[in-house]
Amino acid sequence: MKRYKLPLSSLFLGFLASLLAGCGEKAKMEIEDYEVKPISMSEVVTATGTMESVTQVNVGTQVTGIIEHLYVDYNDHVTKGQLLAELEKTLLESDLKSADANMASAEASYEYAKSNYERDKKLHDEQLISDYEFQTSKRDYDVARLSFEKSKADRVRAAKNLNYAEIYSPIDGIVISREVEVGQTVVSSMNVADLYVIADLENMQVVGNVDEADIGQVKTGQHVTFTVDAYPDDVFSGTVTQVRLNPTTTSNVVTYEVIVNAPNPDLKLIPGMTANLTIYTLELNDVLAVPLKALKFQPLPPQEEESGLPQPQPLDKPAEHSVWILKDNQLVETAVEVGVANNIYQQIVGGLQPGEKVALQYNEVMKNNGRAKPEDNPFLPKPPGANRNKKEEPKK
């Protein structure tokens, strides 16, 4: 004969049931059950972040000059290769002409030195001139050759600087900032002088700040939804593309940056907006699951048939995880394989079939099908003021 260990909660329920049975209104025990069916399970982490464009370019100039023309302004759509602005070209064109003249002069000197060297080489081979004269001719030739090479490089630089006077868009995007005015002098020194800021607003991202307590649950590829204050009724979707490991500490609060891509075909999202993120760290559809308390349920010992309670049939060998199934007025313990869990449900990957009913807990029900109320029990303390409405009977 098998013995059952009765938990304290079960003893208390049995004692409470006997007390209620002794009061004027009888109570009976019933089992609350749950029908196994496919459901959706989710677990989320919330965070806030800032909208940024994935691609944002500061367009500048590498040469010094005066802004002569500006062809685009704030919020203009531009395409890659489009002319944005021009600098005044007089000095740059003069530099190019000077470089052309220097190159022509160097080329003439090179050709002259080359012909002298080739002539002297033949004479030297026939021993008609001295070694000193030949070496001098070769030196003049090498100097002229190097000078010609330098003049060609200077000409390339001057031509490139002249091209830099015309500023073109490096990407497709929208002008979100203009830093200069027509007539303004831009000076190129160690840093490139910025003229425009162009961003690709069709491809945005959210830089979210996730608390250190939640960062362990966030992984690349997880689904994310977010809202912005500018469009409170719209819910935008994205995906976690990067979890950055560099921590940020503000007022002793440690957070980590999580990058979420945010396609923006309608151009509603703009840089700088604050986004309220919901990161789905668990998202399963059409899975079998049971409430967590189903795995903690313990049946009462075998009862008399008149009690109406199902009779428990435990497993022959203890299982790591098990639930109690209601079947033919019996509680049948069944071993199950579990998967992931959230705060409410436990996924079941094996051992249960849809439609089966698992026991959750015992409930006490009055004879008239109403739940037993705490104040019906004379052994429980009554709430404050419970006797105030009762009129005291006059003393005889």
Side-chain angles (χ1 to χ4, degrees):
M1 182 177 179
K2 294 183 179 180
R3 296 184 178 180
Y4 296 86
K5 293 183 179 180
L6 196 61
L8 293 177
S9 58
S10 300
L11 288 172
F12 176 74
L13 289 174
F15 176 69
L16 183 60
S18 62
L19 289 177
L20 290 173
C23 298
E25 191 174 5
K26 294 184 178 181
K28 64 176 182 178
M29 301 288 283
E30 287 187 353
I31 294 180
E32 179 182 345
D33 58 41
Y34 174 82
E35 183 177 348
V36 179
K37 56 186 177 182
I39 64 170
S40 297
M41 295 178 60
S42 64
E43 189 80 11
V44 300
V45 168
T46 58
T48 58
T50 304
M51 298 299 310
E52 294 182 359
S53 57
V54 176
T55 304
Q56 180 172 305
V57 180
N58 292 351
V59 181
T61 175
Q62 291 185 325
V63 295
T64 298
I66 298 174
I67 300 295
E68 188 172 31
H69 298 288
L70 293 175
Y71 297 109
V72 295
D73 204 348
Y74 285 95
N75 302 333
D76 285 347
H77 291 254
V78 297
T79 58
K80 184 177 181 179
Q82 179 179 338
L83 182 61
L84 305 178
E86 280 188 273
L87 301 181
E88 204 276 325
K89 300 179 181 178
T90 303
L91 295 179
L92 297 173
E93 289 173 345
S94 298
D95 290 342
L96 180 59
K97 290 179 180 179
S98 176
D100 287 336
N102 290 335
M103 186 178 71
S105 176
E107 184 178 10
S109 298
Y110 166 71
E111 294 295 338
Y112 176 74
K114 181 180 179 181
S115 63
N116 286 341
Y117 167 72
E118 290 175 349
R119 184 188 66 246
D120 290 347
K121 185 176 186 302
K122 291 180 181 179
L123 295 174
H124 182 264
D125 291 341
E126 296 177 3
Q127 298 183 353
L128 297 177
I129 61 173
S130 65
D131 292 342
Y132 174 77
E133 290 175 317
F134 173 70
Q135 291 172 356
T136 302
S137 177
K138 184 176 184 302
R139 183 203 62 189
D140 293 341
Y141 166 70
D142 289 338
V143 170
R145 177 175 56 83
L146 294 175
S147 178
F148 180 47
E149 293 293 333
K150 181 179 181 300
S151 67
K152 289 195 292 185
D154 291 340
R155 200 271 176 193
V156 171
R157 182 183 298 107
K160 198 68 174 177
N161 286 339
L162 181 59
N163 289 336
Y164 285 149
E166 296 178 349
I167 294 93
Y168 298 90
S169 174
I171 62 170
D172 296 338
I174 296 176
V175 177
I176 63 174
S177 178
R178 176 170 60 82
E179 307 294 338
V180 294
E181 299 288 346
V182 173
Q184 180 177 338
T185 300
V186 290
V187 179
S188 177
S189 54
M190 295 298 293
N191 298 320
V192 176
D194 291 337
L195 305 183
Y196 294 100
V197 178
I198 299 177
D200 179 10
L201 297 188
E202 292 187 0
N203 296 290
M204 300 289 288
Q205 66 183 14
V206 184
V207 181
N209 298 311
V210 178
D211 189 85
E212 62 175 325
D214 300 324
I215 194 63
Q217 305 175 50
V218 180
K219 307 295 180 185
T220 301
Q222 291 174 341
H223 175 61
V224 180
T225 61
F226 63 92
T227 60
V228 294
D229 294 339
Y231 307 101
D233 297 330
D234 294 343
V235 178
F236 302 90
S237 296
T239 306
V240 176
T241 58
Q242 189 179 53
V243 179
R244 295 178 178 173
L245 304 181
N246 185 37
T248 301
T249 304
T250 305
S251 299
N252 294 327
V253 177
V254 180
T255 59
Y256 293 84
E257 288 187 348
V258 173
I259 308 302
V260 178
N261 75 321
N264 187 31
D266 299 331
L267 303 182
K268 288 184 175 181
L269 303 173
I270 57 178
M273 284 184 169
T274 299
N276 301 306
L277 299 169
T278 300
I279 305 172
Y280 288 84
T281 57
L282 172 64
E283 194 172 20
L284 299 174
N285 296 316
D286 295 328
V287 296
L288 296 182
V290 297
L292 293 176
K293 56 185 176 181
L295 294 149
K296 301 177 182 179
F297 175 81
Q298 291 295 330
L300 294 175
Q303 306 289 317
E304 298 180 358
E305 295 183 2
E306 290 80 5
S307 68
L309 290 176
Q311 302 300 312
Q313 288 188 354
L315 291 168
D316 294 333
K317 296 181 179 180
E320 183 178 1
H321 300 285
S322 66
V323 295
W324 294 82
I325 298 177
L326 286 167
K327 186 176 181 181
D328 298 331
N329 199 34
Q330 290 183 336
L331 280 172
V332 181
E333 188 178 11
T334 303
V336 294
E337 297 179 19
V338 300
V340 295
N342 58 14
N343 293 330
I344 303 175
Y345 292 98
Q346 172 69 63
Q347 181 190 11
I348 303 298
V349 297
L352 290 181
Q353 298 296 325
E356 292 181 323
K357 294 183 177 181
V358 297
L360 301 181
Q361 63 184 13
Y362 287 101
N363 290 327
E364 298 176 37
V365 181
M366 307 305 295
K367 189 176 181 180
N368 58 0
N369 292 330
R371 292 291 179 91
K373 299 179 181 179
E375 57 266 25
D376 293 333
N377 189 346
F379 296 95
L380 293 178
K382 298 186 180 298
N387 296 322
R388 291 179 183 175
N389 295 328
K390 295 182 179 181
K391 295 182 180 180
E392 296 183 1
E393 296 181 1
K395 297 182 180 179
K396 295 181 180 180

